[in-house]
Amino acid sequence: MTSPQLTHITEPEGVAPGTGYTHVVVGSGRLAVISGQVAYDENGKLVGRGDPEAQTRQVFENLRRCLAAVGATFDHVVKFTHFVTDFEHIGIVRTVRDEHVNTHRPPASSAVQVVRLFDPELIVEIEALVLLPDDAERVR
């Protein structure tokens, strides 16, 4: 699959520069939406009970697998939404995210602290918007 043709606008006029994210990503192609991924392994077992780094690593592994299912990579992600139960963990989440994305042209991003996720043992959930090139092979 070819990489998407994307334009990243990191500093729109009159908007404070972002740190670690792009304010606007423009491209064309087909949209894929990945539901929020959590720290469950392929058997539905929680990975990293009480450990924000271990949970985030599992979340990104799940995201990688979802991307692969549509023939995409992290280069195709145009936006992440991060949900964390404690904003003290956002630095860890960003560090792990940066191992997977182009930090010179990062996707757009939002981060939200929530009271809890659907399982009280979960610390982080991340969803993604993905832009697939028009010439990409159609997925089931």
Side-chain angles (χ1 to χ4, degrees):
M1 172 179 285
T2 60
S3 291
Q5 297 300 312
L6 303 174
T7 300
H8 289 71
I9 303 171
T10 56
E11 297 183 23
E13 186 175 330
V15 178
T19 302
Y21 65 92
T22 296
H23 281 289
V24 181
V25 181
V26 180
S28 63
R30 294 181 297 120
L31 180 66
V33 180
I34 298 177
S35 291
Q37 297 298 302
V38 296
Y40 290 157
D41 67 14
E42 61 274 8
N43 298 310
K45 302 289 184 199
L46 177 66
V47 173
R49 181 171 275 109
D51 183 340
E53 182 176 351
Q55 286 200 20
T56 303
R57 290 191 181 286
Q58 182 63 46
V59 167
F60 273 90
E61 175 58 19
N62 293 345
L63 287 166
R64 185 196 65 73
R65 290 175 180 179
C66 290
L67 289 164
V70 295
T73 69
F74 284 101
D75 289 339
H76 296 95
V77 173
V78 294
K79 183 172 191 297
F80 285 121
T81 303
H82 308 83
F83 302 94
V84 294
T85 57
D86 185 338
F87 225 71
E88 293 297 317
H89 303 312
I90 199 65
I92 293 167
V93 172
R94 287 178 177 160
T95 297
V96 174
R97 177 206 59 196
D98 288 353
E99 295 172 9
H100 299 278
V101 302
N102 178 345
T103 58
H104 299 290
R105 295 173 56 86
S109 182
S110 296
V112 181
Q113 182 172 326
V114 295
V115 173
R116 67 169 267 192
L117 296 166
F118 68 92
D119 175 340
E121 297 286 340
L122 293 170
I123 295 169
V124 62
E125 179 174 340
I126 302 173
E127 62 184 24
L129 297 178
V130 181
L131 194 58
L132 303 168
D134 283 327
D135 64 351
E137 200 172 300
R138 295 279 174 184
V139 192
R140 353 176 178 97

